[in-house]
Amino acid sequence: MARRFIVEENDIKYIDKNNIQIKGNEVKHIQVLRHNIGENITVNDNIYKIMDIKRDSILLEFIEKAPKIGEPSIDVTLYIAMLKNDKLDFVIQKAVELGVKKIVPFFSSNVIVKLDEKGKQKRKERLSKIADEACKQCGRTDYVLVENFETFNSLCKKIEEVDNKVLFAYEASKDSLRQEIKSMKENKCKNIGIIIGAEGGFTPDEADKLKSIKNVSSVSLGSRILRAETAALNLLSILMYEMEE
Ligand code: SAM
């Protein structure tokens, strides 16, 4: 599979309709992999021919849009609480490999980590970078968007507004995931959200609020309490296996 390079927008200079010049980390990477003038490479969503290689920049000519590879037939959004240490990094990397389309991190009452606005921005940038790297590594062509951190209230509003089916992984739920999957298959559901809580889960009020949202169904992942990372990747794997065509 051809390697894909991801170049940030501010490292791209648009020369004219067909030519771009790229700078930044990927220039070194392309050189290390010994790509030469005249070869085709994929940069972001397009295939380009290498026209010139300089020490700090590479000139590319647009050839065509890259075919979509590795993109699932369903759109899954992962709504996940901020986790301690680098656990969210791990979940995001694996969730991208499993095919998630969008990630919405959030803070709720039992989240232990505290971040100010600057900290949130820095964390989001780091998470986006992890998602980009994971896309590249597993050969997906689309970006996975990591959105801004939501508060619990703004998360609820957001979920209410999307017309997705949203599965709320809740350890106290009596509702079966199998039943929900059956009904999503019958309704040919293509947009699905999943909600995963932090290490301390949700408060009873938060859980009630989530369950009261019309498109949200709480689901159990079994009788054992899973770590948030396990719950997220378990639910995502099951959904991809069951719902992807
Ligand atoms: N509130 C719990 C406690 O402190 O006992 C545990 C929270 S659990 C570590 C973190 C998250 O994983 C939960 O908020 C939930 O989204 C998900 N989760 C863990 N086990 C689950 C299960 N058996 N069924 C559904 N969701 C589960």
Side-chain angles (χ1 to χ4, degrees), residues 169-171 196-202 219-222 224-226 228 231:
Y170 187 38
E171 56 282 6
I196 306 289
E199 290 86 351
F202 293 96
V219 288
S220 162
L221 298 173
R224 289 171 296 278
I225 306 273
L226 308 175

Side-chain angles (χ1 to χ4, degrees), residues 180-191:
E180 280 303 329
I181 288 180
K182 186 165 176 269
S183 118
M184 289 193 303
K185 279 183 178 171
E186 282 164 7
N187 294 316
K188 300 201 180 320
C189 203
K190 292 283 173 211
N191 292 299

